[in-house]
Amino acid sequence: MAETRVSGRSVSYEVVGDQGRPWVITPGGRFSKDSPGVRELAVALAERGNRVLIWDRPNCGASDVRFTGPSESAMQADVLAGLLRQLDLAPAVIAGGSGGSRVSLLAAARHRDVTAGLALWWISGGVYGLMALGVHYCGGSLKAAWNGGMEAVAALPEWREVLERNPRNRELFLAHDCAEFVATMERWMAAYCPCGDELVPGLPDALARELDLPALVFRSGTTDFNHTRATSEQVAALLPNARLVEPPWGDNEWHERSAARPGGVGEGLFAGWPKLAPVLQDWGGDVLGPV
């Protein structure tokens, strides 16, 4: 594990492989790069001749917390672009699932120079899915700050990992102005509103239509109401050079992985991700050509 500073805050990362086409894998939720399946996918791609960056987004894992930007995903996308430039890995194939797909899309839209292509799966969408995300990511912290200040926010179970893995974060929490934090949570929460012309929060549909770089979109399962099949199909239709493909797992993968998350070794939301490697590699070689 390595650390570097991007825009004044520490970011934890690891590069797997020492040559070949650069890739970056971004997990979803506020899960870290150490979640089962993330590093394993990076290793599988590295074994196929690639260099693969895995990283802890701000507010995840061992990285510093950061409460700036129009949305949490946009802030993380900007940090990713800075990290890729700093590590001399740009342009890279930017890949991710669930929240990681949203960060990947925003990184490509906001920083085209760092992006060679996009690979996306489990794209969050639908009225229920997006409204649930706003409450999940922002509701608890907003309520805690409103009622008990930044001490109450830092005491929330959802922030336990970032405090345990990075003791600096407690000081960063407590130094943050409470009123400013409340305003940020309200802004970040509103970004998930399933209204207007943004299929993906923070990415206007008109801008998505201009993203003419190569993209691979894995179709979501019919049973997944957090990442609806319609959302994956609509994103693929918006992106001019997207290829829509079936995923290398069954229709109930999200539900099965969610149920397995509290289990033991090899279980978790992303445990099946290494299965993506052959499809990603074939697509990369076919569409992007040699490095």
Side-chain angles (χ1 to χ4, degrees):
M1 184 186 76
E3 282 188 6
T4 190
R5 295 184 75 80
V6 178
S7 300
R9 293 285 173 92
S10 178
V11 177
S12 177
Y13 72 93
E14 181 179 342
V15 178
V16 182
D18 54 12
Q19 61 182 357
R21 174 175 287 113
W23 293 68
V24 56
I25 300 167
T26 302
R30 287 203 179 111
F31 292 96
S32 81
K33 66 182 183 305
D34 302 312
S35 299
V38 178
R39 180 174 286 101
E40 289 81 355
L41 173 55
V43 169
L45 286 170
E47 289 173 346
R48 290 166 167 81
N50 303 283
R51 284 180 297 161
V52 188
L53 169 68
I54 55 176
W55 66 303
D56 285 344
R57 291 153 291 156
N59 306 337
C60 307
S63 290
D64 284 354
V65 294
R66 189 184 307 234
F67 304 106
T68 59
S71 70
E72 186 170 25
S73 297
M75 174 272 292
Q76 292 170 345
D78 291 346
V79 172
L80 174 57
L83 180 61
L84 288 169
R85 294 186 188 107
Q86 188 165 315
L87 298 178
D88 197 24
L89 290 174
V93 182
I94 302 182
S98 195
S101 67
R102 185 169 55 256
V103 171
S104 299
L105 275 163
L106 291 173
R110 295 165 70 89
H111 305 276
R112 180 64 181 270
D113 64 296
V114 306
T115 315
L118 281 167
L120 313 167
W121 55 95
W122 292 351
I123 306 169
S124 303
V127 173
Y128 173 84
L130 294 181
M131 293 185 73
L133 285 181
V135 173
H136 176 72
Y137 286 127
C138 306
S141 292
L142 177 56
K143 183 178 180 180
W146 193 273
N147 291 328
M150 296 308 296
E151 281 276 5
V153 176
L156 290 172
E158 64 195 72
W159 297 113
R160 182 177 297 126
E161 182 181 11
V162 297
L163 292 171
E164 291 177 348
R165 297 189 58 183
N166 183 347
R168 292 187 303 270
N169 279 329
R170 180 169 180 80
E171 180 181 345
L172 292 173
F173 269 111
L174 298 184
H176 206 86
D177 180 79
C178 187
E180 181 182 333
F181 182 83
V182 168
T184 298
M185 290 298 104
E186 290 179 334
R187 183 174 68 251
W188 285 9
M189 193 174 192
Y192 289 106
C193 177
C195 47
D197 60 350
E198 292 184 356
L199 180 63
V200 175
L203 179 63
D205 292 352
L207 183 55
R209 293 188 183 97
E210 297 176 2
L211 281 177
D212 57 353
L213 44 77
L216 185 67
V217 178
F218 290 90
R219 196 192 310 266
S220 293
T222 58
T223 64
D224 188 348
F225 51 77
N226 292 288
H227 322 92
T228 67
R229 170 162 286 196
T231 301
S232 62
E233 293 173 341
Q234 290 164 3
V235 168
L238 280 176
L239 300 172
N241 288 329
R243 179 183 299 177
L244 181 66
V245 298
E246 300 300 327
W249 44 61
D251 193 68
N252 290 316
E253 175 74 5
W254 174 259
H255 293 300
E256 292 170 358
R257 293 291 94 229
S258 296
R261 188 169 55 187
V265 176
E267 294 186 345
L269 285 175
F270 317 131
W273 284 17
K275 298 176 184 178
L276 294 164
V279 183
L280 293 172
Q281 177 70 15
D282 290 346
W283 166 78
D286 180 30
V287 173
L288 301 174
V291 179

